[in-house]
Amino acid sequence: MANIYETEVAKRFTIYNSLFLDLPFDQIYRTGTLLPILSEACQSGFQENKTPKEIIRQFFEELMADKPEEERHDLLFKMVQYIERQVVLFDSIEDASFEKFNDIKGKGTMTALIARAENDHKKEELIEKLKNFSVRLTLTAHPTQFYPGNVLAIITDLEQAIRKNDLGDVDLLLRQLGKTAFINKEKPSPYEEAVSLTWFLEYVFYPSISDIMIRILNQLNIPLHDWENPNLLKVGFWPGGDRDGNPFVTHEITKKVSDKLQNSILKCYYRDIRKVRRRLTFHNVESHLIKAEKGIYNTLFSGEGEVFHSKDELLAVLYEARKGIIEEHGGLSLELLDEFILKVRVFGFHFASMDVRQDSRKHDALWDEILEKSEGEAALEVYHQGDEEAKIQKILSVDKLPEINSLEDPFHREMLESISSIAYIQKNNGPMGCHRYIISNNQSVLHVLEVYQLNKLLLANGGDLFLDIVPLFETIDDLAAAHSVMSSLYNNKTYRDHLRKRGNKQSIMLGFSDGTKDGGYIRANWSILRAKEELTKVAREEGIDVVFFDGRGGPPARGGGNTHNFYASLGPNVENREIQITIQGQTISANYGKPVSCSYNLEQLLSAGMESHLYPSSENSLTDKQKSLIDEMADISYNAYKELKNHEQFVPYLEKVTPLKFFGMTNIGSRPVKRSKGGSMKFEDLRAIPFVGAWAQMKQNIPGFFGVGKAIEELEKQGRLGEVQQLYKDSLFFRSLLGNSMQSLAKSFYPATAYLKDDPQFGGFWELMYGEYQRSYDKILSVAGMSTLLEDSPLSKESIAIRERIVLPLITIQQYAIQTILEKGKEDTALQKLILRTMFGIINAARNAA
């Protein structure tokens, strides 16, 4: 496999990369010929323990000694632009070779699992599980995608040209790439972010989900028309509804995004029904299809004539056509219509389900104003003095909200308008269009019931509330307390009645990103697994079907990495009715950006859920002894991370040394870097994406490994290294944990920042980080029995190595600018621009670093 990678990717990159030198652009040849010299200077320079500043200065002294600093910096900018396009080329070459390195019919796919189940006489059990299972990928607008839409389009075309080995097309697309800006001139609006993601819905998820479901049902000999679980694969959507993630979202944007989602799915239907109608030209069939086509057209474009108000109205017409095929034409080409009907059942008139999300503290403040407005300051004071039960009773006793316009705080008015927009979506797009309200930073039963009562009063009109309230537990303390919060909630009569009307199903969201930021790598992942086990136990005792929704980012530090193994490893003590995860930015384009990779990764998740049910294994179920061992490691790791987090230089280092503050200037997303509006930087206000992204820029990746080495070392001192090594062999969960940490280590490069060890303010802090990096590197290898990182994943290892070589000059240029600014002791506009510009290529090359 490694030889195939060398031929298909590495050598092709070398060949196609040479085309850049022939592009007819100003100074391209000069930049392209000098770049390899700089790259070699960086590699040899760091091996000789030179600082980034020394490497860049020596490069200029040897090749541009007579040139002024302005011209030197201009060359660095051109090199940055050149490398950005090299990264795009490498991405396209890897994508074009996807099927050659991923067995799209092998282990982890549904094709392989179905064959195995048939051989083991478990086909019926598999079918029953599929009837009650679901995978839901929720697309978020979190700003981790540094490619603007026009560059993504070029990548798509470039991949196709490379697949065909069409040198002329490749050359033409590289020319286009050279003339296309990689940076948005302005921040996108929340609506523009949503529109950019609907492209993936229309051209990737729509065909991929349909293809997977049709293929599975055909392989299992299940008629498409008889399939009773259209929610087997579904998509969620946060842009336009996630107010905690983006404070610039308004209720008008929410409604506008829901309209765009319906518009997009109707376009897909219109394209498809025209194809179906060309084949089904039969008596008493074609007339129904013409009616359906015209109805879709009118609904989509004109709003005049006969229109469809729901998927059921469209399905009623399609079922009439189906009846005609069966009764009058012997079922001729029935499968074409059944495939289209299945798509309508899966995607409805909503395409993707929007979620509304807001922080619990915002709800607290809103209720304060509501109570003060309704009953006065004295009543509010009494409310604040009461215990949680008294506050709950007070909130639930409110039977009418004040007029929205009577509230003084405009943000509170907007919050109520946002809730009201849910009714608009459900009416126009159907109940699945928006059926969940997520509460960030949920810490109590009160936080859930505050949201329940707001929505009940605004949406239910005295009837039932058609909405799921989803608490999000994020910090280590909140994860530990989650089961007791939910136990109390299940015993609240009002909420229990609501759950009964919602099918006794409770969704709970768990935050990997903020969990890692708060508690470090092992503690966060372990706390989430233990929380899931405790929450499952409580739910089963109460007769509640609990569904876990995992807030994951792209990199291992934010719950990413190999997610398939994670879900295969959860064991019988974690409820396994659905897999729900967030995907965002680079993870969308890298893992789900093309139909082939989207289908493959979706099937991997679906297969993971099926396999853990059909084939329970000891390696997927931790014993009490194994749990105790991980518990010890998590505690040691957590204490080490807390020591780092509480270090007096932790926040100053992030603020003054890393490019953290520049994330807000990249124009990749519409939301701010931190939650508070104040000038000073506080750890608790930092959003997880720029927090992790800043460490990735520095090639230090602290959240992905810090404390792991310390935990292993402490157990080794107790003579228990053998226990950890055995755990690695026996537990898929622990293997996945350390495997993902290896990724973080493999993408680290501490020589680039070694100059900081001599910094009077940050030297000791850098030594602390580097010491744990070395310790984690050595100890993880000793546990895994490997001589190099990712030894068991040669393709990932090779891909990371090539990508890191490509961007090494970017890393050096960025650190040269940071080092120079630190030595000057003052800001420098030209150097700041260099730092900002290098961020794009460094993140893009890593594909899942933010």
Side-chain angles (χ1 to χ4, degrees):
M1 190 66 77
N3 290 336
I4 298 176
Y5 189 90
E6 175 68 21
T7 302
E8 293 293 332
V9 177
K11 288 186 177 177
R12 284 172 101 182
F13 175 69
T14 301
I15 293 168
Y16 286 129
N17 188 39
S18 65
L19 294 176
F20 280 118
L21 294 176
D22 290 330
L23 296 180
F25 302 142
D26 181 46
Q27 297 186 352
I28 188 80
Y29 184 82
R30 176 177 179 239
T31 305
T33 52
L34 289 178
L35 181 56
I37 299 173
L38 176 60
S39 183
E40 177 58 36
C42 294
Q43 292 180 47
S44 59
F46 286 125
Q47 288 173 0
E48 296 166 9
N49 299 317
K50 291 180 180 178
T51 70
K53 187 176 178 181
E54 289 171 338
I55 292 170
I56 297 296
R57 287 286 167 85
Q58 184 175 338
F59 171 77
F60 283 137
E61 286 168 6
E62 291 177 357
L63 297 169
M64 299 179 67
D66 59 336
K67 303 298 181 182
E69 189 171 80
E70 183 178 349
E71 189 170 332
R72 294 180 178 187
H73 283 174
D74 183 60
L75 175 63
L76 293 180
F77 268 106
K78 284 185 169 54
M79 286 184 167
V80 169
Q81 293 172 317
Y82 195 105
I83 295 168
E84 285 174 339
R85 286 151 178 82
Q86 286 183 314
V87 172
V88 166
L89 176 61
F90 188 77
D91 285 347
S92 300
I93 291 171
E94 273 203 337
D95 290 344
S97 306
F98 186 89
E99 298 96 318
K100 295 177 181 176
F101 308 119
N102 297 280
D103 189 348
I104 58 176
K105 293 185 179 180
K107 181 174 171 56
T109 67
M110 287 303 295
T111 298
L113 182 62
I114 290 170
R116 183 182 176 189
E118 287 177 336
N119 289 334
D120 296 338
H121 307 291
K122 291 192 174 188
K123 179 180 175 181
E124 292 305 316
E125 188 180 354
L126 171 61
I127 291 172
E128 286 305 309
K129 182 64 178 176
L130 286 169
K131 288 179 181 178
N132 298 288
F133 193 73
S134 175
V135 171
R136 176 173 176 154
L137 297 181
T138 295
L139 279 61
T140 80
H142 290 349
T144 58
Q145 178 54 266
F146 277 68
Y147 290 134
N150 51 9
V151 175
L152 286 171
I154 295 172
I155 293 174
T156 299
D157 294 341
L158 189 56
E159 178 211 345
Q160 292 303 316
I162 291 169
R163 281 179 181 272
K164 295 182 290 186
N165 285 315
D166 190 327
L167 198 63
D169 263 6
V170 171
D171 182 62
L172 187 62
L173 288 163
L174 290 181
R175 292 186 184 212
Q176 182 185 356
L177 201 63
K179 290 286 188 180
T180 302
F182 270 48
I183 297 178
N184 294 318
K185 292 182 180 179
E186 298 178 352
K187 287 179 179 291
S189 70
Y191 179 71
E192 288 169 337
E193 289 176 330
V195 170
S196 69
L197 286 183
T198 59
W199 184 91
F200 290 100
L201 289 176
E202 283 189 48
Y203 296 101
V204 182
F205 285 96
Y206 179 75
S208 296
I209 288 176
S210 305
D211 175 67
I212 293 170
M213 290 188 64
I214 292 167
R215 187 158 30 86
I216 288 173
L217 294 175
N218 287 338
Q219 288 173 336
L220 292 170
N221 299 314
I222 299 174
L224 303 186
H225 184 69
D226 295 340
W227 184 239
E228 58 193 63
N229 181 18
N231 292 321
L232 179 64
L233 297 171
K234 52 188 177 180
V235 187
F237 205 74
W238 272 15
D242 179 13
R243 282 149 181 77
D244 179 46
N246 192 333
F248 302 120
V249 170
T250 67
H251 70 283
E252 291 295 342
I253 289 173
T254 300
K255 292 191 285 189
K256 193 175 177 182
V257 170
S258 73
D259 291 342
K260 172 61 180 174
L261 287 170
Q262 185 181 99
N263 180 273
S264 294
I265 191 58
L266 289 176
K267 282 197 293 184
C268 293
Y269 292 161
Y270 187 67
R271 286 193 292 262
D272 273 2
I273 199 167
R274 286 170 63 84
K275 296 174 185 175
V276 172
R277 193 166 73 80
R278 287 183 65 183
R279 292 282 300 278
L280 299 177
T281 53
F282 321 141
H283 170 70
N284 201 24
V285 175
E286 185 179 33
S287 59
H288 296 298
L289 295 180
I290 290 173
K291 181 179 180 181
E293 181 184 330
K294 285 183 177 178
I296 294 171
Y297 180 89
N298 292 340
T299 308
L300 181 58
F301 296 112
S302 68
E304 299 176 356
E306 290 190 31
V307 297
F308 293 121
H309 299 96
S310 69
K311 72 170 184 180
D312 292 330
E313 291 183 5
L314 171 59
L315 285 171
V317 177
L318 297 177
Y319 287 143
E320 285 298 315
R322 189 177 193 277
K323 181 181 177 183
I325 294 174
I326 294 171
E327 293 181 352
E328 300 183 31
H329 305 287
L332 180 62
S333 298
L334 180 64
E335 70 280 357
L336 290 176
L337 183 57
D338 277 350
E339 288 178 4
F340 181 62
I341 287 173
L342 181 64
K343 292 175 183 178
V344 176
R345 293 177 63 212
V346 169
F347 296 106
F349 268 33
H350 64 283
F351 210 162
S353 298
M354 294 181 70
D355 289 337
V356 173
R357 183 171 74 125
Q358 185 55 275
D359 189 282
S360 63
R361 291 164 290 195
K362 306 296 185 184
H363 304 128
D364 289 340
L366 172 57
W367 271 108
D368 279 357
E369 184 173 359
I370 289 171
L371 292 174
E372 184 179 11
K373 194 77 177 174
S374 302
E375 302 181 28
E377 290 185 15
L380 180 60
E381 185 63 30
V382 171
Y383 172 77
H384 282 162
Q385 290 173 356
D387 60 15
E388 184 179 37
E389 187 57 37
K391 290 178 179 177
I392 288 171
Q393 292 304 318
K394 181 62 180 176
I395 293 295
L396 293 180
S397 71
V398 174
D399 58 7
K400 185 179 181 182
L401 295 175
E403 289 294 322
I404 291 177
N405 290 332
S406 70
L407 297 181
E408 295 179 11
D409 191 324
F411 187 78
H412 292 162
R413 295 198 297 270
E414 174 56 40
M415 287 178 70
L416 295 182
E417 292 280 14
S418 295
I419 293 173
S420 297
S421 69
I422 295 172
Y424 172 89
I425 300 171
Q426 291 187 346
K427 179 183 177 182
N428 293 321
N429 292 16
M432 286 295 289
C434 183
H435 64 95
R436 302 198 305 192
Y437 193 116
I438 298 167
I439 310 165
S440 300
N441 191 42
N442 193 96
Q443 298 178 320
S444 65
V445 174
L446 176 63
H447 284 155
V448 176
L449 293 176
E450 283 178 333
V451 171
Y452 166 79
Q453 191 68 357
L454 284 171
N455 283 275
K456 174 82 172 175
L457 293 172
L458 283 168
L459 301 176
N461 294 320
D464 296 334
L465 176 62
F466 295 100
L467 192 74
D468 299 318
I469 313 298
V470 184
L472 166 53
F473 300 100
E474 300 175 271
T475 67
I476 301 303
D477 289 343
D478 290 346
L479 287 165
H483 69 283
S484 62
V485 170
M486 296 309 299
S487 179
S488 298
L489 190 62
Y490 296 146
N491 284 286
N492 179 278
K493 183 180 183 305
T494 300
Y495 191 76
R496 189 59 181 261
D497 286 345
H498 169 66
L499 277 184
R500 180 173 50 79
K501 294 168 184 173
R502 298 297 293 163
N504 281 322
K505 178 179 174 181
Q506 174 67 54
S507 295
I508 300 173
M509 190 172 180
L510 303 162
F512 281 77
S513 297
D514 283 288
T516 305
K517 173 180 162 251
D518 181 53
Y521 182 67
I522 297 182
R523 178 80 275 171
N525 281 273
W526 182 235
S527 292
I528 287 170
L529 179 60
R530 295 309 302 269
K532 284 186 174 182
E533 289 183 334
E534 293 297 323
L535 288 164
T536 298
K537 181 181 177 182
V538 167
R540 287 173 177 173
E541 290 172 352
E542 295 291 339
I544 302 295
D545 292 328
V546 67
V547 173
F548 296 116
F549 177 25
D550 293 335
R552 292 176 174 272
R558 294 182 50 234
N562 191 331
T563 54
H564 314 129
N565 282 347
F566 175 85
Y567 287 106
S569 72
L570 294 181
N573 295 326
V574 173
E575 196 60 74
N576 181 33
R577 292 180 66 86
E578 297 190 27
I579 291 176
Q580 297 194 9
I581 60 173
T582 55
I583 55 171
Q584 53 199 242
Q586 294 162 316
T587 313
I588 298 173
S589 57
N591 294 353
Y592 299 92
K594 311 288 189 306
V596 63
S597 59
C598 180
S599 295
Y600 177 81
N601 285 302
L602 268 173
E603 282 196 51
Q604 290 281 315
L605 285 172
L606 182 57
S607 177
M610 294 294 104
E611 193 165 346
S612 64
H613 171 77
L614 294 173
Y615 299 98
S617 167
S618 59
E619 75 167 7
N620 300 346
S621 182
L622 293 163
T623 66
D624 289 341
K625 184 178 179 181
Q626 289 172 327
K627 289 179 180 179
S628 178
L629 181 58
I630 300 176
D631 235 0
E632 285 186 65
M633 296 182 68
D635 283 343
I636 297 167
S637 173
Y638 186 30
N639 288 330
Y641 180 73
K642 278 200 297 186
E643 184 182 334
L644 179 78
K645 194 172 69 170
N646 294 332
H647 193 287
E648 62 180 0
Q649 298 303 338
F650 188 85
V651 173
Y653 183 85
L654 281 168
E655 187 172 17
K656 297 178 181 178
V657 180
T658 76
L660 176 66
K661 58 180 173 287
F662 293 99
F663 273 84
M665 306 176 193
T666 54
N667 288 347
I668 56 168
S670 60
R671 66 192 201 151
V673 171
K674 54 192 180 75
R675 284 184 167 87
S676 68
K677 296 181 180 179
S680 61
M681 186 175 288
K682 297 179 181 178
F683 175 79
E684 57 270 22
D685 289 335
L686 295 177
R687 294 184 182 275
I689 291 170
F691 174 77
V692 173
W695 294 115
Q697 289 289 318
M698 298 294 287
K699 307 308 291 181
Q700 292 173 329
N701 291 325
I702 290 298
F705 71 83
F706 199 92
V708 178
K710 180 70 172 177
I712 299 171
E713 183 182 71
E714 288 299 313
L715 288 169
E716 185 177 22
K717 287 178 181 177
Q718 300 172 26
R720 300 168 62 194
L721 179 62
E723 291 181 40
V724 185
Q725 291 171 327
Q726 193 63 45
L727 177 66
Y728 182 85
K729 292 177 183 176
D730 296 341
S731 168
L732 180 58
F733 170 79
F734 190 66
R735 255 195 332 275
S736 300
L737 200 65
L738 291 199
N740 285 340
S741 198
M742 281 192 208
Q743 274 196 40
S744 294
L745 291 167
K747 293 179 180 181
S748 300
F749 187 67
Y750 275 77
T753 56
Y755 66 89
L756 288 166
K757 68 178 182 293
D758 299 319
D759 186 272
Q761 181 178 359
F762 300 110
F765 184 70
W766 186 90
E767 293 279 13
L768 182 63
M769 293 189 294
Y770 180 56
E772 181 58 21
Y773 162 78
Q774 288 183 305
R775 181 162 41 231
S776 295
Y777 189 105
D778 295 338
K779 298 307 176 186
I780 287 178
L781 288 181
S782 69
V783 167
M786 298 179 187
S787 56
T788 59
L789 294 174
L790 301 174
E791 198 173 286
D792 59 341
S793 303
L795 296 183
S796 292
K797 178 182 176 181
E798 185 65 19
S799 176
I800 290 171
I802 294 175
R803 289 173 179 278
E804 293 301 308
R805 281 201 299 273
I806 292 172
V807 297
L808 183 59
L810 290 187
I811 296 163
T812 309
I813 291 168
Q814 185 182 96
Q815 290 302 320
Y816 152 75
I818 291 173
Q819 182 184 3
T820 305
I821 289 174
L822 285 172
E823 289 178 358
K824 284 183 175 182
K826 61 180 181 179
E827 301 295 346
D828 183 300
T829 303
L831 293 174
Q832 284 183 329
K833 286 182 180 178
L834 267 182
I835 295 170
L836 183 63
R837 194 55 199 265
T838 54
M839 291 173 66
F840 295 82
I842 293 172
I843 287 289
N844 286 335
R847 278 205 156 183
N848 69 347

